[in-house]
Amino acid sequence: MSVTTPRGFRSAGIAVGLKSTGKPDLALVVNDGPARASAAVFTGNRAQANPILWSRKVIAGGTARAVVLNSGGANCFTGDFGYETTRLTAEAVAAALGDARAEEILVCSTGLIGTGDQAFRDRIVGGVPTLAAVLAEDDATAPAAILTTDSVEKTAVREGGDEGARWTIGGMAKGAGMLAPGLATMLVVITTDALLDDGALDRALRRATRVSFDRLDSDGCMSTNDQVSLLASGASGVAPDEEEFAAALAALCDDLASQLQADAEGASHDIDIEVRGAATEEDAAEVGRSVARNNLFKAAIFGNDPNWGRVLAAIGTTEAAFDPYRVDVSFNGVRLCHAGAPDRPVEECDLTPRRTHVEIELFAGDCSATIRTNDLTHDYVHENSAYSS
Amino acid sequence: MSVTTPRGFRSAGIAVGLKSTGKPDLALVVNDGPARASAAVFTGNRAQANPILWSRKVIAGGTARAVVLNSGGANCFTGDFGYETTRLTAEAVAAALGDARAEEILVCSTGLIGTGDQAFRDRIVGGVPTLAAVLAEDDATAPAAILTTDSVEKTAVREGGDEGARWTIGGMAKGAGMLAPGLATMLVVITTDALLDDGALDRALRRATRVSFDRLDSDGCMSTNDQVSLLASGASGVAPDEEEFAAALAALCDDLASQLQADAEGASHDIDIEVRGAATEEDAAEVGRSVARNNLFKAAIFGNDPNWGRVLAAIGTTEAAFDPYRVDVSFNGVRLCHAGAPDRPVEECDLTPRRTHVEIELFAGDCSATIRTNDLTHDYVHENSAYSS
């Protein structure tokens, strides 16, 4: 259970032949109300897939009542034909639901860029009626249908409110590669039975994604297809405290981001880069991201080498406020660099555990941020050199 | 012959025990005049090694008359002790030359960050008299003494002027990893017997490095120790046309940059990313650099996969002027993407040759730039996960 844990939702996932493996590749999440609201955030990439172009209009135009998602093809850079495929997909969903318009249907696609031919269209549009026919309130098949190179399903649930007035949030996510800032390549659908309007959902979603998905930077590569959708049904009848709801949503997004990090393609270390003592939160995030994107640092972690020199070299490329000769760098709790010189012997530091904690103290202020990344491994290179074959 | 091809220079390279392999690791290039001039450019990294801090003062304070370079240790983040080592090195060279001051000696170091203890200092300072004793006008030993993980020496020579009034430029370079923008991790020494002053050298050097070393971005990682030094002896007695000299210097830097690209750690493809039709040259360089730093693109090239979708996804992360649905992308002369949709079949494109040409047409103006990079390979990961061991 995940997106159907909150009341007022049905979902389903089936195989329509987009994946050569025959695994599930088409999913649908429907908001049955009674009081529908929605919000979504999209990739920051200027090169945007057809489903992103479509879904932006849906959100701008009103409230979404369903999300249809396919894996097995990104429908990005597939020309006008690809945009028409997205529109026809939304129309098919609207028709199957009976009481909806195409302009109320969010569409998400993931897979190889450039994939979206006639067969792709026929399989999706032709599969929608079958998909709609198996929608269920206790569905557990949707999360698998959105996976690409992911090895496990990612789901999370949170709840809030007082006894007798509970509300719930549920989410499912996919993402294992092209994981970076403008959301980390991912598709996420979050549902809640809390009673909230579009504006409140939008505020809470932007707060939550800013410090969770936006700080996951597995491989520095921003996707063309990222979308995080949030649907509220109001089925609990409970209008939550906005702060409490935002906190629960942030916790759920953080949980899903952590699951995405743990399943990143080819990774052998999950690295949390905690930057403290920054002049601003932006500085802290910039420093963390610069280290997270440094291939030499990432390769060193793969080799269990706590190479603090590469951390400092990466920090030096930022615009953040800091004095290179006052920075402290610790790996897994062992301070290896202090005040611009070697500190504890590197032999004291054990990087064999998968979870890796790099702590950077800038001594430039009181702000902090943590960027999540992964190491650069043989398997990452292998998986991504053979992806389209 | 390289730095001693121009008249008025002596050089030498010896082993003083900084490298565990016993290979040469200390080099010296001396300008014997008669009319000395100098210029230098340094890493853009804010985290700068002690020799960079020192050499900046040398250039700011007047004209350099020699460059001493060591491999086997970066002397970066080695505290005040490390800076003192650099000063003592310059003093030892000045004393050995007899008629020089320490403040006229440029110092360069390359190797592991954090390396620079008492033994390191003793070997360098103690080795300088031996090094100075073997300085020769026909030396060929200096280029090998500055190498780290490089597999071959990099040298280049150009000449100019008219018959009977010839001048010459010679250069040597090292660099195989941490190769990126603020010069691409490298040490370069260039000599010329042309008669030019400090200002003319500085202008020509900045023009040349901007379109050569600054556009080499093998792995996106900027070094703490980059330095390109240019010394003029005036020994030819010929004052060249400044434009002609600048062009010859640019050609020599381009030659050396190409040699650095070809010897990049673990690389199996040398990729030239040519961006055309950009609104500005800065846009072109930004687009090329964004593609050059995209790990998914780099891994695809390793797998001989002309993955144009990853090129477009990388372009989309830039601020450059362009319409994502008007861009053309060609690999090795085959246009695979046209106007935001697939064009020629990818099977027509052969990526098995080491040299790879990616051409991006933005249709946004008349400016262009080429960024040189390499693919992301198993060997890159291997070399850089084991570097400090």
Side-chain angles (χ1 to χ4, degrees):
Chain A
M1 300 284 280
S2 58
V3 289
T4 53
T5 302
R7 288 156 285 178
F9 292 93
R10 288 173 297 150
S11 68
I14 62 171
V16 298
L18 301 173
K19 286 178 179 167
S20 58
T21 57
K23 289 187 177 174
D25 44 24
L26 193 64
L28 181 60
V29 181
V30 177
N31 184 352
D32 289 319
R36 297 189 185 92
S38 65
V41 290
F42 304 93
T43 180
N45 200 312
R46 293 169 61 200
Q48 306 194 337
N50 288 305
I52 299 293
L53 300 176
W54 173 269
S55 295
R56 282 185 182 282
K57 289 186 187 170
V58 171
I59 288 294
T63 299
R65 49 192 294 156
V67 189
V68 58
L69 315 92
N70 77 272
S71 49
N75 194 10
C76 180
F77 292 113
T78 46
D80 294 339
F81 183 87
Y83 187 79
E84 183 66 7
T85 295
T86 296
R87 197 184 61 74
L88 291 170
T89 303
E91 275 191 359
V93 171
L97 296 182
D99 62 345
R101 291 178 300 113
E103 291 71 22
E104 297 173 309
I105 313 300
L106 295 167
V107 182
C108 300
S109 300
T110 180
L112 190 65
I113 294 174
T115 301
D117 59 7
Q118 184 69 49
F120 174 88
R121 176 192 288 182
D122 293 345
R123 285 173 180 144
I124 293 177
V125 175
V128 165
T130 313
L131 180 66
V134 294
L135 283 165
E137 288 182 356
D138 60 351
D139 173 63
T141 61
I146 63 173
L147 306 182
T148 53
T149 56
D150 305 66
S151 67
V152 294
E153 297 175 22
K154 286 97 174 171
T155 62
V157 170
R158 289 291 185 283
E159 64 174 30
D162 302 313
E163 203 172 331
R166 291 272 176 212
W167 47 266
T168 310
I169 313 178
M172 65 177 189
K174 69 82 37 179
M178 218 183 248
L179 277 171
L183 283 187
T185 296
M186 63 179 57
L187 299 182
V188 181
V189 180
I190 303 168
T191 57
T192 179
D193 50 21
L195 192 58
L196 289 157
D197 63 18
D198 288 356
L201 287 186
D202 184 68
R203 286 189 295 275
L205 185 59
R206 288 179 191 282
R207 274 178 60 176
T209 55
R210 192 179 70 83
V211 293
S212 56
F213 301 125
D214 280 350
R215 291 196 179 157
L216 173 62
D217 197 331
S218 175
D219 64 0
C221 298
M222 194 193 292
S223 158
T224 51
N225 285 59
D226 291 330
Q227 184 168 331
V228 180
S229 308
L230 172 59
L231 305 177
S233 69
S236 70
V238 181
D241 173 74
E242 207 173 310
E243 278 298 314
E244 187 193 352
F245 178 80
L249 183 65
L252 180 130
C253 289
D254 192 66
D255 185 344
L256 290 174
S258 168
Q259 293 181 50
L260 292 170
Q261 177 189 29
D263 195 30
E265 286 172 352
S268 68
H269 288 81
D270 301 332
I271 311 166
D272 288 353
I273 302 171
E274 182 182 357
V275 182
R276 306 197 320 193
T280 65
E281 192 180 331
E282 291 67 35
D283 272 10
E286 183 193 358
V287 165
R289 200 177 294 287
S290 177
V291 176
R293 292 185 170 189
N294 187 283
N295 280 349
L296 292 173
F297 163 77
K298 292 159 81 80
I301 300 296
F302 168 57
N304 295 330
D305 169 16
N307 197 314
W308 58 269
R310 293 176 181 175
V311 172
L312 287 170
I315 300 173
T317 65
T318 70
E319 303 284 331
F322 79 103
D323 173 349
Y325 290 97
R326 275 201 72 203
V327 175
D328 286 353
V329 180
S330 302
F331 281 69
N332 287 349
V334 181
R335 196 176 69 179
L336 299 176
C337 172
H338 175 57
D343 192 13
R344 306 299 311 164
V346 293
E347 291 73 22
E348 289 185 8
C349 181
D350 179 16
L351 289 189
T352 54
R354 180 175 176 102
R355 186 145 287 284
T356 308
H357 185 221
V358 176
E359 203 178 320
I360 299 165
E361 172 58 65
L362 294 178
F363 295 106
D366 296 320
C367 298
S368 63
T370 298
I371 300 290
R372 289 182 162 125
T373 191
N374 296 98
D375 53 353
L376 180 59
T377 69
H378 290 296
D379 287 349
Y380 176 89
V381 173
H382 180 72
E383 284 198 39
N384 287 300
S385 59
Y387 181 83
S388 68
S389 58
Chain B
M1 300 285 280
S2 58
V3 289
T4 53
T5 303
R7 288 156 285 179
F9 292 93
R10 289 174 296 151
S11 68
I14 62 171
V16 298
L18 301 174
K19 287 179 178 167
S20 58
T21 57
K23 289 186 176 176
D25 45 24
L26 193 64
L28 181 59
V29 180
V30 177
N31 184 353
D32 290 320
R36 297 189 185 94
S38 64
V41 291
F42 304 94
T43 180
N45 201 311
R46 293 169 61 202
Q48 306 194 338
N50 287 305
I52 298 294
L53 301 176
W54 172 269
S55 295
R56 282 186 180 283
K57 290 186 189 172
V58 171
I59 287 295
T63 299
R65 50 192 292 157
V67 190
V68 58
L69 314 92
N70 77 271
S71 49
N75 194 10
C76 180
F77 292 113
T78 46
D80 293 339
F81 183 88
Y83 188 78
E84 184 65 7
T85 296
T86 296
R87 196 184 62 75
L88 290 170
T89 303
E91 275 190 0
V93 171
L97 296 181
D99 60 344
R101 291 178 300 113
E103 292 70 24
E104 296 174 310
I105 313 299
L106 294 167
V107 182
C108 301
S109 299
T110 180
L112 190 65
I113 294 174
T115 301
D117 60 6
Q118 185 70 49
F120 173 89
R121 176 192 287 181
D122 292 346
R123 285 172 180 144
I124 294 176
V125 175
V128 165
T130 313
L131 181 65
V134 295
L135 282 165
E137 289 183 356
D138 59 352
D139 173 61
T141 62
I146 63 173
L147 306 183
T148 54
T149 55
D150 306 65
S151 67
V152 293
E153 297 175 22
K154 285 98 174 171
T155 62
V157 171
R158 291 290 184 284
E159 65 175 29
D162 303 313
E163 204 171 330
R166 292 271 177 213
W167 46 266
T168 310
I169 313 179
M172 65 178 188
K174 70 82 35 179
M178 219 184 248
L179 275 171
L183 283 186
T185 295
M186 63 179 57
L187 300 182
V188 180
V189 180
I190 304 167
T191 57
T192 180
D193 50 20
L195 191 60
L196 289 156
D197 63 19
D198 288 355
L201 287 186
D202 184 67
R203 286 189 295 276
L205 184 59
R206 288 180 191 281
R207 274 178 60 175
T209 55
R210 191 178 72 82
V211 294
S212 55
F213 301 124
D214 280 350
R215 292 195 180 158
L216 173 62
D217 196 331
S218 175
D219 64 1
C221 298
M222 194 193 293
S223 158
T224 51
N225 286 59
D226 291 330
Q227 185 169 329
V228 180
S229 308
L230 172 57
L231 305 176
S233 69
S236 69
V238 181
D241 172 72
E242 209 173 308
E243 278 298 316
E244 187 192 352
F245 179 79
L249 183 65
L252 180 130
C253 289
D254 191 65
D255 184 345
L256 290 174
S258 167
Q259 293 181 51
L260 292 170
Q261 178 189 29
D263 196 29
E265 286 171 352
S268 69
H269 288 82
D270 300 332
I271 311 167
D272 288 353
I273 302 172
E274 181 182 356
V275 182
R276 306 197 319 191
T280 65
E281 192 179 331
E282 291 68 34
D283 272 9
E286 184 193 358
V287 165
R289 200 178 293 287
S290 178
V291 176
R293 291 185 170 189
N294 188 283
N295 279 349
L296 292 173
F297 162 77
K298 293 158 80 81
I301 300 295
F302 168 56
N304 295 331
D305 169 17
N307 198 312
W308 56 269
R310 293 175 181 176
V311 172
L312 287 170
I315 300 173
T317 66
T318 70
E319 304 285 330
F322 78 103
D323 173 350
Y325 290 97
R326 276 200 71 202
V327 175
D328 286 353
V329 180
S330 303
F331 280 68
N332 286 351
V334 181
R335 196 177 69 179
L336 299 177
C337 172
H338 174 56
D343 191 14
R344 304 301 311 164
V346 293
E347 291 72 23
E348 290 185 8
C349 181
D350 178 16
L351 289 188
T352 54
R354 181 177 176 102
R355 185 145 289 282
T356 307
H357 184 222
V358 177
E359 202 178 320
I360 299 165
E361 171 60 63
L362 294 178
F363 295 107
D366 297 320
C367 298
S368 63
T370 298
I371 300 290
R372 288 183 162 125
T373 190
N374 296 98
D375 53 354
L376 180 59
T377 69
H378 290 297
D379 286 350
Y380 176 88
V381 174
H382 180 72
E383 283 198 39
N384 287 300
S385 59
Y387 181 82
S388 69
S389 58

PDB file of all heavy atoms in Angstrom, chain A residues 205-222:
ATOM      1  N   LEU A 205       4.184  21.271  -0.949  1.00  0.00           N
ATOM      2  CA  LEU A 205       4.987  20.442  -1.853  1.00  0.00           C
ATOM      3  C   LEU A 205       6.312  21.118  -2.187  1.00  0.00           C
ATOM      4  O   LEU A 205       7.364  20.476  -2.210  1.00  0.00           O
ATOM      5  CB  LEU A 205       4.188  20.158  -3.135  1.00  0.00           C
ATOM      6  CG  LEU A 205       4.862  19.208  -4.131  1.00  0.00           C
ATOM      7  CD1 LEU A 205       5.136  17.845  -3.500  1.00  0.00           C
ATOM      8  CD2 LEU A 205       3.990  19.037  -5.378  1.00  0.00           C
ATOM      9  N   ARG A 206       6.272  22.433  -2.428  1.00  0.00           N
ATOM     10  CA  ARG A 206       7.515  23.141  -2.750  1.00  0.00           C
ATOM     11  C   ARG A 206       8.468  23.159  -1.552  1.00  0.00           C
ATOM     12  O   ARG A 206       9.677  22.999  -1.706  1.00  0.00           O
ATOM     13  CB  ARG A 206       7.226  24.566  -3.234  1.00  0.00           C
ATOM     14  CG  ARG A 206       6.624  24.544  -4.623  1.00  0.00           C
ATOM     15  CD  ARG A 206       6.271  25.898  -5.205  1.00  0.00           C
ATOM     16  NE  ARG A 206       5.482  25.692  -6.399  1.00  0.00           N
ATOM     17  CZ  ARG A 206       5.987  25.331  -7.575  1.00  0.00           C
ATOM     18  NH1 ARG A 206       7.290  25.184  -7.716  1.00  0.00           N
ATOM     19  NH2 ARG A 206       5.211  25.115  -8.612  1.00  0.00           N
ATOM     20  N   ARG A 207       7.927  23.334  -0.364  1.00  0.00           N
ATOM     21  CA  ARG A 207       8.775  23.281   0.842  1.00  0.00           C
ATOM     22  C   ARG A 207       9.425  21.918   0.984  1.00  0.00           C
ATOM     23  O   ARG A 207      10.611  21.804   1.330  1.00  0.00           O
ATOM     24  CB  ARG A 207       7.934  23.550   2.094  1.00  0.00           C
ATOM     25  CG  ARG A 207       7.763  25.007   2.423  1.00  0.00           C
ATOM     26  CD  ARG A 207       6.881  25.216   3.636  1.00  0.00           C
ATOM     27  NE  ARG A 207       7.389  24.586   4.850  1.00  0.00           N
ATOM     28  CZ  ARG A 207       6.810  24.708   6.046  1.00  0.00           C
ATOM     29  NH1 ARG A 207       5.716  25.444   6.164  1.00  0.00           N
ATOM     30  NH2 ARG A 207       7.326  24.115   7.106  1.00  0.00           N
ATOM     31  N   ALA A 208       8.622  20.880   0.743  1.00  0.00           N
ATOM     32  CA  ALA A 208       9.126  19.516   0.963  1.00  0.00           C
ATOM     33  C   ALA A 208      10.161  19.104  -0.087  1.00  0.00           C
ATOM     34  O   ALA A 208      11.203  18.523   0.241  1.00  0.00           O
ATOM     35  CB  ALA A 208       7.960  18.538   0.954  1.00  0.00           C
ATOM     36  N   THR A 209       9.906  19.414  -1.360  1.00  0.00           N
ATOM     37  CA  THR A 209      10.832  18.964  -2.410  1.00  0.00           C
ATOM     38  C   THR A 209      12.147  19.742  -2.375  1.00  0.00           C
ATOM     39  O   THR A 209      13.198  19.203  -2.714  1.00  0.00           O
ATOM     40  CB  THR A 209      10.203  19.101  -3.820  1.00  0.00           C
ATOM     41  OG1 THR A 209       9.772  20.447  -4.020  1.00  0.00           O
ATOM     42  CG2 THR A 209       9.001  18.174  -3.968  1.00  0.00           C
ATOM     43  N   ARG A 210      12.087  20.986  -1.913  1.00  0.00           N
ATOM     44  CA  ARG A 210      13.305  21.817  -1.876  1.00  0.00           C
ATOM     45  C   ARG A 210      14.394  21.192  -1.010  1.00  0.00           C
ATOM     46  O   ARG A 210      15.583  21.296  -1.313  1.00  0.00           O
ATOM     47  CB  ARG A 210      12.957  23.222  -1.360  1.00  0.00           C
ATOM     48  CG  ARG A 210      14.048  24.256  -1.530  1.00  0.00           C
ATOM     49  CD  ARG A 210      13.613  25.616  -1.011  1.00  0.00           C
ATOM     50  NE  ARG A 210      13.504  25.657   0.433  1.00  0.00           N
ATOM     51  CZ  ARG A 210      14.537  25.854   1.265  1.00  0.00           C
ATOM     52  NH1 ARG A 210      15.747  26.035   0.772  1.00  0.00           N
ATOM     53  NH2 ARG A 210      14.361  25.873   2.568  1.00  0.00           N
ATOM     54  N   VAL A 211      13.997  20.555   0.080  1.00  0.00           N
ATOM     55  CA  VAL A 211      15.001  20.006   0.995  1.00  0.00           C
ATOM     56  C   VAL A 211      15.104  18.477   0.906  1.00  0.00           C
ATOM     57  O   VAL A 211      15.800  17.864   1.716  1.00  0.00           O
ATOM     58  CB  VAL A 211      14.715  20.423   2.456  1.00  0.00           C
ATOM     59  CG1 VAL A 211      14.903  21.927   2.609  1.00  0.00           C
ATOM     60  CG2 VAL A 211      13.321  20.003   2.887  1.00  0.00           C
ATOM     61  N   SER A 212      14.413  17.880  -0.035  1.00  0.00           N
ATOM     62  CA  SER A 212      14.504  16.410  -0.151  1.00  0.00           C
ATOM     63  C   SER A 212      14.973  16.025  -1.554  1.00  0.00           C
ATOM     64  O   SER A 212      16.164  15.835  -1.775  1.00  0.00           O
ATOM     65  CB  SER A 212      13.159  15.766   0.171  1.00  0.00           C
ATOM     66  OG  SER A 212      12.130  16.297  -0.658  1.00  0.00           O
ATOM     67  N   PHE A 213      14.041  15.997  -2.511  1.00  0.00           N
ATOM     68  CA  PHE A 213      14.419  15.580  -3.869  1.00  0.00           C
ATOM     69  C   PHE A 213      15.425  16.536  -4.500  1.00  0.00           C
ATOM     70  O   PHE A 213      16.328  16.118  -5.226  1.00  0.00           O
ATOM     71  CB  PHE A 213      13.164  15.463  -4.747  1.00  0.00           C
ATOM     72  CG  PHE A 213      12.169  14.474  -4.219  1.00  0.00           C
ATOM     73  CD1 PHE A 213      10.857  14.854  -3.968  1.00  0.00           C
ATOM     74  CD2 PHE A 213      12.538  13.171  -3.943  1.00  0.00           C
ATOM     75  CE1 PHE A 213       9.929  13.946  -3.478  1.00  0.00           C
ATOM     76  CE2 PHE A 213      11.621  12.249  -3.438  1.00  0.00           C
ATOM     77  CZ  PHE A 213      10.310  12.641  -3.209  1.00  0.00           C
ATOM     78  N   ASP A 214      15.287  17.827  -4.221  1.00  0.00           N
ATOM     79  CA  ASP A 214      16.214  18.795  -4.806  1.00  0.00           C
ATOM     80  C   ASP A 214      17.631  18.678  -4.228  1.00  0.00           C
ATOM     81  O   ASP A 214      18.561  19.260  -4.767  1.00  0.00           O
ATOM     82  CB  ASP A 214      15.713  20.229  -4.591  1.00  0.00           C
ATOM     83  CG  ASP A 214      14.646  20.612  -5.602  1.00  0.00           C
ATOM     84  OD1 ASP A 214      14.445  19.844  -6.559  1.00  0.00           O
ATOM     85  OD2 ASP A 214      14.013  21.663  -5.437  1.00  0.00           O
ATOM     86  N   ARG A 215      17.767  17.950  -3.124  1.00  0.00           N
ATOM     87  CA  ARG A 215      19.105  17.790  -2.530  1.00  0.00           C
ATOM     88  C   ARG A 215      19.645  16.383  -2.725  1.00  0.00           C
ATOM     89  O   ARG A 215      20.627  15.989  -2.094  1.00  0.00           O
ATOM     90  CB  ARG A 215      19.072  18.180  -1.059  1.00  0.00           C
ATOM     91  CG  ARG A 215      18.849  19.683  -0.939  1.00  0.00           C
ATOM     92  CD  ARG A 215      19.177  20.229   0.402  1.00  0.00           C
ATOM     93  NE  ARG A 215      18.948  21.674   0.390  1.00  0.00           N
ATOM     94  CZ  ARG A 215      18.718  22.394   1.469  1.00  0.00           C
ATOM     95  NH1 ARG A 215      18.684  21.796   2.655  1.00  0.00           N
ATOM     96  NH2 ARG A 215      18.517  23.692   1.377  1.00  0.00           N
ATOM     97  N   LEU A 216      18.986  15.646  -3.594  1.00  0.00           N
ATOM     98  CA  LEU A 216      19.492  14.336  -3.996  1.00  0.00           C
ATOM     99  C   LEU A 216      20.213  14.565  -5.314  1.00  0.00           C
ATOM    100  O   LEU A 216      19.616  15.045  -6.282  1.00  0.00           O
ATOM    101  CB  LEU A 216      18.312  13.374  -4.166  1.00  0.00           C
ATOM    102  CG  LEU A 216      18.611  12.000  -4.749  1.00  0.00           C
ATOM    103  CD1 LEU A 216      19.571  11.233  -3.844  1.00  0.00           C
ATOM    104  CD2 LEU A 216      17.308  11.225  -4.908  1.00  0.00           C
ATOM    105  N   ASP A 217      21.491  14.269  -5.349  1.00  0.00           N
ATOM    106  CA  ASP A 217      22.286  14.534  -6.544  1.00  0.00           C
ATOM    107  C   ASP A 217      23.189  13.340  -6.766  1.00  0.00           C
ATOM    108  O   ASP A 217      24.387  13.395  -6.542  1.00  0.00           O
ATOM    109  CB  ASP A 217      23.087  15.823  -6.345  1.00  0.00           C
ATOM    110  CG  ASP A 217      23.615  16.381  -7.667  1.00  0.00           C
ATOM    111  OD1 ASP A 217      23.859  15.585  -8.591  1.00  0.00           O
ATOM    112  OD2 ASP A 217      23.772  17.602  -7.766  1.00  0.00           O
ATOM    113  N   SER A 218      22.585  12.261  -7.216  1.00  0.00           N
ATOM    114  CA  SER A 218      23.339  11.011  -7.329  1.00  0.00           C
ATOM    115  C   SER A 218      24.435  11.094  -8.371  1.00  0.00           C
ATOM    116  O   SER A 218      25.564  10.702  -8.132  1.00  0.00           O
ATOM    117  CB  SER A 218      22.394   9.857  -7.665  1.00  0.00           C
ATOM    118  OG  SER A 218      23.134   8.678  -7.882  1.00  0.00           O
ATOM    119  N   ASP A 219      24.106  11.630  -9.551  1.00  0.00           N
ATOM    120  CA  ASP A 219      25.100  11.617 -10.628  1.00  0.00           C
ATOM    121  C   ASP A 219      25.199  12.934 -11.393  1.00  0.00           C
ATOM    122  O   ASP A 219      25.811  12.983 -12.456  1.00  0.00           O
ATOM    123  CB  ASP A 219      24.837  10.451 -11.593  1.00  0.00           C
ATOM    124  CG  ASP A 219      23.503  10.589 -12.328  1.00  0.00           C
ATOM    125  OD1 ASP A 219      22.787  11.586 -12.097  1.00  0.00           O
ATOM    126  OD2 ASP A 219      23.188   9.713 -13.136  1.00  0.00           O
ATOM    127  N   GLY A 220      24.623  13.995 -10.837  1.00  0.00           N
ATOM    128  CA  GLY A 220      24.783  15.314 -11.453  1.00  0.00           C
ATOM    129  C   GLY A 220      24.006  15.516 -12.739  1.00  0.00           C
ATOM    130  O   GLY A 220      24.086  16.581 -13.339  1.00  0.00           O
ATOM    131  N   CYS A 221      23.254  14.519 -13.170  1.00  0.00           N
ATOM    132  CA  CYS A 221      22.574  14.611 -14.458  1.00  0.00           C
ATOM    133  C   CYS A 221      21.081  14.872 -14.267  1.00  0.00           C
ATOM    134  O   CYS A 221      20.371  14.069 -13.667  1.00  0.00           O
ATOM    135  CB  CYS A 221      22.784  13.326 -15.254  1.00  0.00           C
ATOM    136  SG  CYS A 221      24.520  13.032 -15.634  1.00  0.00           S
ATOM    137  N   MET A 222      20.625  16.010 -14.783  1.00  0.00           N
ATOM    138  CA  MET A 222      19.238  16.415 -14.595  1.00  0.00           C
ATOM    139  C   MET A 222      18.370  15.846 -15.708  1.00  0.00           C
ATOM    140  O   MET A 222      18.707  15.944 -16.880  1.00  0.00           O
ATOM    141  CB  MET A 222      19.162  17.938 -14.614  1.00  0.00           C
ATOM    142  CG  MET A 222      17.839  18.488 -14.107  1.00  0.00           C
ATOM    143  SD  MET A 222      17.669  20.247 -14.508  1.00  0.00           S
ATOM    144  CE  MET A 222      18.921  20.978 -13.471  1.00  0.00           C
TER     145      MET A 222
END
